[in-house]
Amino acid sequence: MANKYYQYHKRLGDNITKNELIGELSLKCAIDLNVAKFFLESFIDIVKNNIVNSEKIFIAKLGTFELRKVPPRKYHNCYKREFELSEPKMVVKFTPSLDFKNKVKKLKLDK
């Protein structure tokens, strides 16, 4: 049976949507679309909640997600014609694992 969400992206640089990811998960694991959707949304919620609670998330063969504080930066406000400091903010930082980095390096060499 053809999955209406699944479209395989062969070209480098194409984005995959959440529905396409659900479809691919459904096909690879041979599960229903609703189960795959529930699994993916639960996974995303768990990752979000742990990052918001300032916990590091390490996923083997993928990498680490962590919350980092970005200090204020100096910028030029062209309307006021003066330099100002931006507000400090929190950002999510992703650090790829060595396995993931090596796979990306191989892609660059092949293309």
Side-chain angles (χ1 to χ4, degrees), residues 47-90:
V47 170
K48 276 196 242 179
N49 291 335
N50 286 320
I51 289 175
V52 168
N53 293 330
S54 300
E55 297 177 24
K56 252 188 202 183
I57 298 177
F58 173 72
I59 301 173
K61 297 186 179 183
L62 182 65
T64 305
F65 296 90
E66 63 183 313
L67 196 61
R68 288 217 175 148
K69 184 177 180 182
V70 176
R73 295 184 183 199
K74 191 176 183 182
Y75 70 94
H76 183 258
N77 186 334
C78 58
Y79 295 112
K80 294 182 180 179
R81 295 185 180 171
E82 58 188 35
F83 287 94
E84 296 179 357
L85 284 178
S86 66
E87 296 292 322
K89 60 184 177 180
M90 301 298 283

Side-chain angles (χ1 to χ4, degrees), residues 5-22 24 107 111:
Y5 294 111
Y6 180 73
Q7 291 178 352
Y8 188 74
H9 295 275
K10 290 186 178 183
R11 294 189 316 237
L12 190 62
D14 280 353
N15 293 330
I16 186 167
T17 66
K18 186 176 171 184
N19 283 337
E20 291 168 342
L21 190 59
I22 289 168
E24 190 168 341
L107 280 176
K111 300 284 174 178

Side-chain angles (χ1 to χ4, degrees), residues 85-98:
L85 284 178
S86 66
E87 296 292 322
K89 60 184 177 180
M90 301 298 283
V91 295
V92 177
K93 182 173 185 323
F94 172 72
T95 307
S97 67
L98 289 176

